[in-house]
Amino acid sequence: MQRAALFRGGDAQMAAGDLGELLVPYMPTIRVPKSGDRVYKTECAFSYDSPDSEGGLYVCMNTFLGFGREHIERHYRKTGQCVYLHLKRHVIEKVPGASGGALPKRRNAKLFLDLETNNDLNSDEFEYEDEAKLVIFPDHYEISLPNIEELPALVTIACDALLSAKSPYRKQEPDSWEEELQASKHAKTLVQLDNGVRIPPSGWKCSKCDLRENLWLNLTDGSVLCGKWFFDGSGGNGHAMEHYKETGYPLAVKLGTITPDGADVYSFDEEEPVLDPHIAKHLAHFGIDMLQMQVTENGIRDNDIKPRVSEWEVIQEAGVKLKPMYGPGYTGMKNLGNSCYLNAVMQAIFSIPEFQRAYVGNLPRIFDYSPLDPTQDFNTQMAKLGHGLLSGQYSKPPMKSELIEQVMKEEHKPQHNGISPRMFKAFVSKGHPEFSSNRQQDAQEFFLHLINLVERNPVGSENPSDVFRFLVEERTQCCQSRKVRYTERVDYIMQLPVAMEAATNKDELIAYELKRREAEAARRPPPELVRAKIPFSACLQAFSEPSNVEDFWSSALQAKSAGVKTSRFASFPEYLVVQIKKFTFGLDWIPKKLDVSIDMPDFLDLSHLRARGLQPGEQELPDIAPPIVIPDDPKVDEIRLLYFRRSFLVALDIDESSVMQLAEMGFPLEACRKAVYYTGNLGAEVAFNWIIAHMEEPDFAEPLVIPTFGEVASSGAAALGAVGLDNQPPEEMVAIIISMGFQRNLAIQALKATNNNLERALEWIFSHPDLEEESDPALDTMDMENHANANILAEAGSEGPRIKDGPGRYELFGFISHMGTSTMSGHYVCHLKKEGRWVIYNDLKVCASERPPKDLGYIYFYHRIPS
């Protein structure tokens, strides 16, 4: 039979039998999407092409992966899959009617692609139209859809299921996964007390504890009280809930969320966020005019803050007409909902030549050798993101000639402006409890998380993260014996403390604080903000000064003593990342930010901080471990020690029945053996949890190598995982000790005290029974703050970690700024110096910077000046 392609609107027609015969050879490869299958019908796996793009998107009918016109042939050659569903969205100019109005011109009854619409288009003049057709490779035979009568039933069902499948990114998009709020049953009949209470426009605080964050106004009696971990994740002392239990007044509105469009309302009785259709009337009862309110933080309205001092205005350069930038290296990134931390970090990362060469320079090789599912490959997604940012393909200026041509034609070509990093975020955040959420995150923690992924997924012979790696020499001295110990650790960030005591405008700060308190007492708007001005030299001095060592045990005295530690650079990195430690913790353990101005230099010389090692006349501390103190009641400790030895002696018998249970689930046999071994034969369920936590590791399926007891004890981190940054113990060791029943902070404390020696750490815990039941919240918080550091692999082979040492002189080329009161909220913006001028990257907006706020940055990027 002579085959013929079917084109929509064409003259060629094919009988139903012919279509069925045409598809018969490919029927075994056509699948119907099932629950759990990820269907990528909105984005190419290798590029940011979509059905909106000129060539549309091809979705494989077997793997459900999407490919743009450039990349479809690669997938066909690699897999042999022939049948694809081609999706295309057209923007059609409406036909003017007789009365002069526009009449809709539709060939399809509805839009069936789950795509965003271009808000820049005038809906009165243009409309969208979606098109789908089957394409058979390699000859590009096309079958227009719908063709229900002509197509085999399996093909029709598969096409319908694919077109109706939900986006694999639903959990990233708040509008798509949050439940729709329902009107409260109390809203219509709510009783409001006529008690004369009037709520001021700002300066609110809890009437019971004076907290000024997460405040809720009870809509019955006008009480202003703090919440406790409500639906928005904020913290408090729970006074609003206590008030409800005492009074039964059901509805409260969160102060600071009231706008002309509505507010956040919570029902204590219904135990969920609700809608209040009568919110305007209920607020007016207490003197609040919704039309005059704006979303704020801490109850301060936008017009209460002078634009010239608000960090939101200064950092985003509001009020200044900024010139948009287009072309390679000037591509914006869409905010997916609190993903600005990711956008800012990735813009900075791909401004570095080593990362450009590693991923974009090797793009053809990375794409050609990518796995069958490139959406789950780190290097592929890094190369895709880098190309999207650097190619200029998604950052084209509007051309007048193109606009005129589009007006003359029926079809409108949408202007691509920026990229949406959904696929990248979905992969790099997979399995991470914070980055996989839709909450705001710390850019510094994400930077370290990214470096960890780069380390674990080498690309080529050189690792681009080498440019950040440096060695820190730590000198610890016993204050009594004056003897010293020198150690080295790997780090990627220089953390610079904020020397608040060195502020040069102390008098102004004191006067401002007095005025602010007076304004609060009088319930007036706060005075114009005065920001502390800190000299950079003072912060650098604070970094270089000795710090006290907590719970120091002197091996020279063989007793606890006072100790001090000093840090110096044993090597200088190619690119120096400096973090200003602006974030601290309040009395309620809620993260807060120091709003300071630091005169960060354009040129930085750290040569004087070069480590010198053991100096003449210095005596080293003996390498002696702390003595073991036998506890008074060792029964529990004996059980734990037996458990420890049972888990790690060479003679440990692996429970083969648990191994086979796991293997029957489809996991590699060697991985199952390791899971059972490392969880101490505690059963298949515990071992399964170990597999889930370690299945992304490169050596996951490699054969189990059982160390001797002495090897585990002596080699410490080398036997169970690489030593983390900032002396953070390896997570594997921490997990082992926790599994014995000890608290996490105690496990970390013990490992740190014994230089990550597992056996000595257990003995240390047994010799400190008084610490077992104590929990230091500060230590827990520090552990959370440095958790990303603990997971970074320091490639400590026989030659040591790879470093690129050189002079300690640097020039500033970028910085990331944060706006907001804590890492849990706010917004990130990136400034980069390109082609001799500063550029601001504010999500999708990329503009020439007029006033780069270098004094308000959070993370700074310096590159080494060649000698």
Side-chain angles (χ1 to χ4, degrees):
M1 183 195 75
Q2 183 178 2
R3 294 176 177 175
L6 270 183
F7 295 94
R8 178 148 55 114
D11 296 330
Q13 297 293 328
M14 190 176 286
D18 294 337
L19 275 180
E21 185 179 345
L22 178 65
L23 288 167
V24 164
Y26 312 109
M27 294 294 285
T29 67
I30 297 175
R31 292 177 54 225
V32 178
K34 299 178 181 177
S35 176
D37 283 337
R38 293 189 296 263
V39 178
Y40 295 94
K41 60 179 181 178
T42 60
E43 182 181 354
C44 172
F46 293 108
S47 71
Y48 292 94
D49 286 347
S50 71
D52 275 321
S53 303
E54 188 174 351
L57 191 74
Y58 295 83
V59 182
C60 176
M61 295 297 292
N62 182 269
T63 63
F64 313 123
L65 295 169
F67 303 95
R69 180 185 288 173
E70 279 183 63
H71 305 285
I72 182 64
E73 292 285 351
R74 176 187 290 106
H75 185 257
Y76 163 70
R77 291 194 306 268
K78 181 179 289 188
T79 64
Q81 298 296 334
C82 297
V83 184
Y84 296 84
L85 186 63
H86 182 255
L87 305 175
K88 181 73 176 79
R89 168 161 287 183
H90 302 273
V91 181
I92 306 299
E93 185 179 9
K94 292 181 180 179
V95 179
S99 61
L103 296 176
K105 179 185 176 184
R106 293 182 180 273
R107 283 172 286 188
N108 290 341
K110 64 177 182 176
L111 300 178
F112 51 80
L113 296 181
D114 185 16
L115 299 175
E116 297 176 354
T117 57
N118 188 344
N119 294 325
D120 295 334
L121 290 182
N122 188 333
S123 59
D124 293 333
E125 298 177 6
F126 297 95
E127 63 179 349
Y128 290 102
E129 181 181 288
D130 294 338
E131 176 188 19
K133 55 189 175 185
L134 284 174
V135 181
I136 303 175
F137 280 71
D139 298 322
H140 293 266
Y141 289 110
E142 296 181 359
I143 304 173
S144 300
L145 297 178
N147 254 324
I148 298 175
E149 293 81 6
E150 293 89 350
L151 292 177
L154 173 65
V155 178
T156 301
I157 294 171
C159 291
D160 288 343
L162 191 150
L163 290 172
S164 61
K166 299 296 183 182
S167 166
Y169 312 117
R170 282 286 175 186
K171 290 185 178 180
Q172 292 186 31
E173 300 166 3
D175 291 338
S176 59
W177 62 264
E178 288 183 355
E179 295 183 4
E180 185 176 352
L181 299 181
Q182 301 297 321
S184 171
K185 63 182 181 181
H186 301 287
K188 188 175 181 179
T189 59
L190 184 72
V191 176
Q192 292 188 284
L193 304 183
D194 190 11
N195 53 10
V197 172
R198 290 294 179 267
I199 304 301
S202 60
W204 311 305
K205 64 179 180 181
C206 176
S207 59
K208 291 189 178 181
C209 67
D210 290 343
L211 275 182
R212 301 182 182 278
E213 295 179 343
N214 189 26
L215 298 177
W216 295 78
L217 169 68
N218 190 288
L219 291 175
T220 296
D221 64 358
S223 299
V224 176
L225 298 160
C226 64
K228 185 175 182 180
W229 299 109
F230 278 133
F231 63 97
D232 66 343
S234 300
N237 294 320
H239 290 135
M241 175 63 77
E242 290 178 8
H243 185 68
Y244 161 70
K245 291 178 179 178
E246 294 170 0
T247 63
Y249 301 155
L251 297 184
V253 60
K254 185 173 183 181
L255 294 174
T257 68
I258 304 170
T259 72
D261 299 320
D264 292 348
V265 180
Y266 189 85
S267 172
F268 298 104
D269 177 51
E270 295 158 284
E271 297 184 346
E272 63 179 354
V274 295
L275 291 176
D276 180 0
H278 309 284
I279 185 65
K281 182 183 76 171
H282 292 157
L283 291 173
H285 180 81
F286 299 109
I288 299 176
D289 183 357
M290 286 182 62
L291 297 179
Q292 302 299 319
M293 302 297 288
Q294 298 294 330
V295 174
T296 63
E297 292 188 39
N298 303 329
I300 300 174
R301 293 182 299 169
D302 291 344
N303 55 6
D304 290 337
I305 302 176
K306 299 296 186 290
R308 65 188 184 88
V309 294
S310 164
E311 65 176 355
W312 289 81
E313 303 282 347
V314 175
I315 289 174
Q316 297 186 97
E317 303 187 51
V320 180
K321 189 174 183 179
L322 301 178
K323 179 185 176 182
M325 304 286 286
Y326 299 98
Y330 299 105
T331 304
M333 297 173 68
K334 182 183 177 182
N335 192 324
L336 305 176
N338 288 328
S339 66
C340 52
Y341 67 91
L342 179 147
N343 294 350
V345 170
M346 298 315 300
Q347 292 284 10
I349 286 292
F350 276 110
S351 70
I352 296 173
E354 283 78 0
F355 279 84
Q356 295 174 1
R357 289 195 297 267
Y359 295 104
V360 183
N362 288 322
L363 184 140
R365 183 179 64 83
I366 292 174
F367 283 2
D368 286 341
Y369 290 95
S370 63
L372 292 179
D373 186 356
T375 68
Q376 302 302 304
D377 180 62
F378 176 74
N379 292 332
T380 300
Q381 293 309 308
M382 281 288 283
K384 169 184 171 178
L385 182 67
H387 180 264
L389 293 175
L390 300 174
S391 65
Q393 186 175 342
Y394 306 99
S395 178
K396 297 178 180 178
M399 302 292 292
K400 290 184 179 179
S401 58
E402 290 182 3
L403 293 174
I404 294 173
E405 183 183 356
Q406 290 168 16
V407 171
M408 298 297 293
K409 291 184 177 181
E410 181 179 339
E411 184 164 323
H412 175 84
K413 295 181 181 179
Q415 190 71 40
H416 290 289
N417 184 19
I419 59 177
S420 180
R422 287 189 182 89
M423 192 176 291
F424 179 80
K425 183 179 186 295
F427 178 78
V428 299
S429 64
K430 183 176 61 176
H432 194 285
E434 291 301 324
F435 299 134
S436 60
S437 73
N438 200 54
R439 297 184 294 271
Q440 185 62 276
Q441 303 299 331
D442 189 344
Q444 178 255 3
E445 291 182 1
F446 179 74
F447 171 80
L448 291 176
H449 176 69
L450 181 76
I451 296 302
N452 184 17
L453 292 173
V454 173
E455 296 278 1
R456 292 186 177 191
N457 298 273
V459 52
S461 57
E462 286 197 18
N463 193 323
S465 65
D466 291 350
V467 300
F468 297 123
R469 190 185 299 112
F470 60 95
L471 293 177
V472 177
E473 177 193 86
E474 291 187 337
R475 177 185 182 271
T476 306
Q477 183 175 34
C478 171
C479 296
Q480 218 168 326
S481 68
R482 312 303 297 174
K483 293 184 178 181
V484 299
R485 176 180 294 118
Y486 285 87
T487 57
E488 285 188 350
R489 61 178 173 85
V490 174
D491 215 333
Y492 293 81
I493 291 183
M494 177 188 186
Q495 294 185 316
L496 209 59
V498 177
M500 290 296 294
E501 68 282 355
T504 59
N505 58 338
K506 291 181 181 177
D507 292 341
E508 295 178 45
L509 292 171
I510 293 172
Y512 165 74
E513 185 61 22
L514 290 173
K515 291 180 181 179
R516 187 186 66 80
R517 291 182 181 180
E518 290 174 0
E520 281 184 4
R523 296 198 169 187
R524 296 194 309 265
E528 183 176 299
L529 177 67
V530 175
R531 185 175 287 113
K533 297 179 181 178
I534 313 295
F536 172 77
S537 56
C539 298
L540 197 60
Q541 179 66 28
F543 170 84
S544 61
E545 288 178 350
S547 59
N548 294 325
V549 179
E550 297 288 337
D551 199 28
F552 177 70
W553 188 86
S554 172
S555 59
L557 304 175
Q558 298 205 21
K560 288 189 176 182
S561 173
V564 294
K565 182 173 68 175
T566 307
S567 298
R568 292 290 185 270
F569 286 89
S571 69
F572 287 111
E574 186 89 7
Y575 289 83
L576 178 68
V577 182
V578 180
Q579 177 201 12
I580 306 298
K581 298 177 72 173
K582 290 185 173 184
F583 294 104
T584 181
F585 294 89
L587 297 175
D588 50 7
W589 291 104
I590 294 178
K592 299 180 182 297
K593 191 175 80 172
L594 301 174
D595 190 4
V596 297
S597 169
I598 301 176
D599 58 336
M600 294 297 292
D602 288 317
F603 297 93
L604 179 61
D605 190 348
L606 300 178
S607 302
H608 64 287
L609 294 179
R610 170 77 74 171
R612 297 180 297 171
L614 188 68
Q615 296 298 296
E618 287 185 333
Q619 289 185 313
E620 290 190 87
L621 285 164
D623 190 13
I624 301 174
I628 300 173
V629 179
I630 300 176
D632 296 332
D633 186 10
K635 290 181 181 179
V636 176
D637 300 318
E638 286 176 1
I639 294 172
R640 288 171 177 165
L641 189 57
L642 283 172
Y643 171 84
F644 170 72
R645 287 176 175 164
R646 179 170 71 90
S647 300
F648 291 98
L649 284 176
V650 179
L652 173 68
D653 293 326
I654 297 177
D655 182 3
E656 294 297 334
S657 63
S658 296
V659 173
M660 295 313 298
Q661 286 184 54
L662 296 170
E664 288 172 0
M665 298 180 190
F667 298 115
L669 182 61
E670 289 299 332
C672 300
R673 289 176 57 80
K674 285 200 289 189
V676 173
Y677 172 80
Y678 284 124
T679 54
N681 282 340
L682 293 180
E685 185 176 351
V686 177
F688 175 79
N689 293 332
W690 185 96
I691 286 178
I692 297 302
H694 294 79
M695 63 192 306
E696 299 297 329
E697 296 177 0
D699 59 348
F700 174 67
E702 292 183 5
L704 170 65
V705 178
I706 301 178
T708 65
F709 184 76
E711 286 173 345
V712 173
S714 61
S715 59
L720 288 172
V723 179
L725 301 184
D726 203 24
N727 277 348
Q728 195 73 9
E731 276 299 304
E732 290 89 343
M733 286 187 173
V734 175
I736 289 170
I737 297 178
I738 291 174
S739 68
M740 299 179 195
F742 297 107
Q743 296 177 355
R744 178 179 178 83
N745 66 312
L746 188 62
I748 293 172
Q749 198 171 353
L751 288 166
K752 284 186 174 182
T754 56
N755 198 25
N756 295 328
N757 186 305
L758 196 54
E759 182 181 11
R760 285 172 54 199
L762 266 294
E763 294 170 347
W764 187 93
I765 292 176
F766 300 151
S767 64
H768 295 77
D770 55 318
L771 296 177
E772 184 174 347
E773 299 304 323
E774 296 178 7
S775 178
D776 185 357
L779 191 62
D780 290 339
T781 306
M782 288 168 57
D783 172 54
M784 290 172 60
E785 186 179 8
N786 296 322
H787 184 67
N789 289 7
N791 290 328
I792 291 185
L793 303 178
E795 301 172 2
S798 57
E799 300 177 358
R802 294 197 305 266
I803 57 173
K804 295 188 175 184
D805 197 9
R809 294 184 297 276
Y810 295 93
E811 181 179 0
L812 181 69
F813 75 92
F815 59 95
I816 294 172
S817 307
H818 175 266
M819 295 153 280
T821 56
S822 76
T823 54
M824 299 188 303
S825 62
H827 182 57
Y828 286 95
V829 167
C830 179
H831 283 77
L832 295 172
K833 196 172 186 180
K834 291 191 174 182
E835 299 176 331
R837 72 172 301 167
W838 285 96
V839 179
I840 178 173
Y841 293 81
N842 188 357
D843 291 334
L844 281 173
K845 299 177 182 177
V846 181
C847 300
S849 173
E850 297 296 333
R851 303 172 186 170
K854 290 182 283 188
D855 60 322
L856 299 182
Y858 173 48
I859 301 173
Y860 293 84
F861 294 84
Y862 286 85
H863 65 82
R864 183 155 55 208
I865 301 174
S867 55

